[in-house]
Amino acid sequence: MARRKRPRRATGRPRKLERATRLRFEKLLSSLSVGLIHVNARDTNVAIERALQQVVTFLGVDRGGLHERAEGRPRLQVSCARPGLEESPPVTAEDQFPWVSGRLLEGEVVRFSRLEELPEATAVDRASFTRAVTSIKPTPDS
C-alpha cells in the first residue's frame, strides 16, 4: 500500500509561527474568560470593554465592537478604538453594510485586509468602510 506524502514546506518556521500566535491568542482568551467570571453585574460592561481592548490590540485592528440585535436591528453594546480614532457610533446601520450584515446574520465570518478583496456586489459596504474604518474583523454572534 503506497502512502501519499504531504508536500513539505521550505521551512517549518511559518507553521511554528502560526502555532505560536494561535497559542498566544488562546492564552489571552483563557485569561480574559477567567477574569470575567468573578465580575459583578454593575461592572460587566467595563470589564468586557477592557477585554475587547486587549483583543483589538492583539489582532492589530483599529476598532472592535460587540453588537446585539434589539428589535430586529443591530445595536452596539460595547466598543473600543485604538488611541487617536473616534469611537464607533452606537448603531451600525444595516443599510451602510448590507453585504457584511447579511453574512453575519447567516453565521459567517467576514475577513479581509483590503477593500479590493470584497466581492464586486459590495459597493455600499466598500463606501461605508472607506468613510469609517481602516481595519475590521467582523464575526457572527455565537
Side-chain angles (χ1 to χ4, degrees), residues 50-92:
R50 272 193 230 119
L52 181 60
Q53 185 66 57
Q54 290 180 55
V55 172
V56 164
T57 300
F58 182 90
L59 294 174
V61 296
D62 293 334
R63 292 179 176 83
L66 298 176
H67 292 77
E68 68 178 352
R69 292 193 67 78
E71 299 173 12
R73 308 251 332 135
R75 182 175 76 83
L76 188 60
Q77 182 68 23
V78 179
S79 72
C80 65
R82 78 180 159 85
L85 294 178
E86 289 181 29
E87 286 292 326
S88 297
V91 174
T92 303

Side-chain angles (χ1 to χ4, degrees), residues 1-5:
M1 173 185 249
R3 285 179 128 181
R4 192 177 204 183
K5 289 185 178 180

Side-chain angles (χ1 to χ4, degrees), residues 6-119:
R6 291 196 313 192
R8 296 183 71 186
R9 292 183 178 206
T11 72
R13 188 165 190 141
R15 187 171 286 158
K16 284 182 183 177
L17 251 142
E18 269 179 30
R19 278 195 300 248
T21 301
R22 188 176 317 137
L23 181 59
R24 282 185 22 247
F25 188 65
E26 288 174 6
K27 285 181 178 180
L28 172 63
L29 292 181
S30 179
S31 170
L32 295 175
S33 297
V34 168
L36 291 170
I37 289 173
H38 301 291
V39 173
N40 62 43
R42 75 173 183 275
D43 297 331
T44 301
N45 277 358
V46 172
I48 291 173
E49 190 174 322
R50 272 193 230 119
L52 181 60
Q53 185 66 57
Q54 290 180 55
V55 172
V56 164
T57 300
F58 182 90
L59 294 174
V61 296
D62 293 334
R63 292 179 176 83
L66 298 176
H67 292 77
E68 68 178 352
R69 292 193 67 78
E71 299 173 12
R73 308 251 332 135
R75 182 175 76 83
L76 188 60
Q77 182 68 23
V78 179
S79 72
C80 65
R82 78 180 159 85
L85 294 178
E86 289 181 29
E87 286 292 326
S88 297
V91 174
T92 303
E94 288 180 61
D95 59 344
Q96 290 177 331
F97 303 98
W99 183 82
V100 170
S101 297
R103 303 295 76 71
L104 295 176
L105 286 172
E106 292 174 15
E108 295 178 32
V109 174
V110 179
R111 215 175 308 168
F112 59 93
S113 299
R114 294 181 315 275
L115 291 176
E116 297 77 34
E117 295 174 11
L118 292 171

